[in-house]
């Protein structure tokens, strides 16, 4: 684990086992993804050109944003898309239960860049695919990043009622 942290986030050592986003993401998803990133960096006062500052922010993921506790979420490789949906539901319920207990969370697909290292850290074999990390703690309401409210598109743009 220390090795990947020392190397920094600009050079992932390992081939990711799934695409966090499809390689050719189409609109409106592509634009929304771009906008939420830009809105976040604007709140942090980091410009588009300032790649080192963006990288430095990204590296907060390695420290789980200074959260006192963390978890990793895996799925067995024999499972397919229906079970990945189950996993998402489980993860969301877990996050809501933490919230009920007064704890905040941040799911971190960032960790999908390092599946081998995290598997080794968790003493798991290759039958397990890492989905994400989960930072668990207390959010700092005064931090600029926590002023981010991602825009919601009108449901008519992405939802079809018949
Ligand atoms: C599955 C999942 C993975 C995420 N991965 C990361 C991550 O690696 N790093 C990060 O800073 N935020 C991550 N986020 C947090 C989002 O960037 C966003 O801040 C959060 O979902 C709150 O915005 P929302 O209200 O639009 O969902 C993730 C969220 C989800 C649901």
């Amino acid at each position: 684990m220390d090795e990947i942290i020392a190397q920094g986030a600009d050079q992932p050592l390992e081939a990711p086992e799934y695409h966090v986003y499809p390689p050719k993401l189409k609109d409106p998803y592509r634009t929304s993804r771009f906008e939420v990133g830009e809105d976040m960096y604007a709140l942090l006062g980091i410009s588009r050109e300032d790649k080192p500052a963006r990288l430095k922010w990204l590296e907060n993921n390695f420290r789980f944003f200074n959260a006192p506790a963390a978890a990793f979420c895996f799925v067995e490789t024999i499972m397919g898309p229906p079970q990945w949906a189950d996993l998402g539901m489980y993860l969301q319920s877990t996050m809501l239960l933490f919230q009920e207990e007064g704890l905040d969370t941040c799911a971190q697909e960032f960790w999908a860049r390092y599946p081998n290292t995290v598997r080794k850290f968790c003493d798991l074999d290759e039958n397990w695919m890492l989905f994400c990390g989960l930072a668990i703690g207390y959010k700092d309401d005064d931090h600029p990043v926590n002023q981010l409210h991602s825009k919601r598109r009108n449901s008519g743009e992405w939802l079809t009622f018949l």
Side-chain angles (χ1 to χ4, degrees):
M1 194 71 99
D2 291 343
E3 254 175 57
I4 57 164
I5 296 172
Q7 176 157 349
D10 58 336
Q11 289 175 31
L13 293 175
E14 300 157 28
E17 291 174 335
Y18 69 90
H19 293 295
V20 171
Y21 291 99
K24 287 184 181 159
L25 191 62
K26 62 175 189 173
D27 269 331
Y29 317 109
R30 187 172 177 273
T31 302
S32 291
R33 182 192 174 192
F34 176 79
E35 278 176 3
V36 76
E38 290 311 305
D39 288 352
M40 182 186 79
Y41 284 116
L43 282 168
L44 293 166
I46 300 173
S47 71
R48 272 201 88 188
E49 297 70 40
D50 196 348
K51 294 276 182 293
R54 287 187 170 218
L55 207 56
K56 204 155 178 280
W57 174 260
L58 185 68
E59 287 174 358
N60 284 319
N61 278 280
F62 281 132
R63 292 178 288 279
F64 296 95
F65 303 97
N66 297 326
F72 288 112
C73 183
F74 289 85
V75 62
E76 285 201 71
T77 53
I78 53 159
M79 302 300 180
Q83 290 74 43
W84 299 349
D86 297 342
L87 166 71
M89 288 187 258
Y90 181 88
L91 186 65
Q92 181 169 32
S93 301
T94 304
M95 293 165 89
L96 290 171
L97 286 168
F98 274 121
Q99 199 171 46
E100 202 169 275
E101 294 297 322
L103 286 152
D104 298 298
T105 56
C106 180
Q108 294 178 269
E109 279 181 286
F110 167 83
W111 286 105
R113 299 153 58 105
Y114 307 101
N116 299 332
T117 301
V118 178
R119 244 194 315 266
K120 199 166 154 208
F121 179 78
C122 296
D123 204 16
L124 289 171
D125 61 30
E126 303 227 324
N127 295 318
W128 292 88
M129 186 186 83
L130 174 65
F131 173 51
C132 69
L134 186 69
I136 305 160
Y138 303 94
K139 89 171 147 129
D140 175 359
D141 282 316
D142 295 330
H143 196 288
V145 79
N146 289 327
Q147 313 312 315
L148 178 68
H149 295 288
S150 56
K151 292 183 195 116
R152 296 290 190 253
R153 288 189 175 263
N154 293 331
S155 58
E157 283 187 64
W158 53 271
L159 184 65
T160 307
F161 289 106
L162 297 176

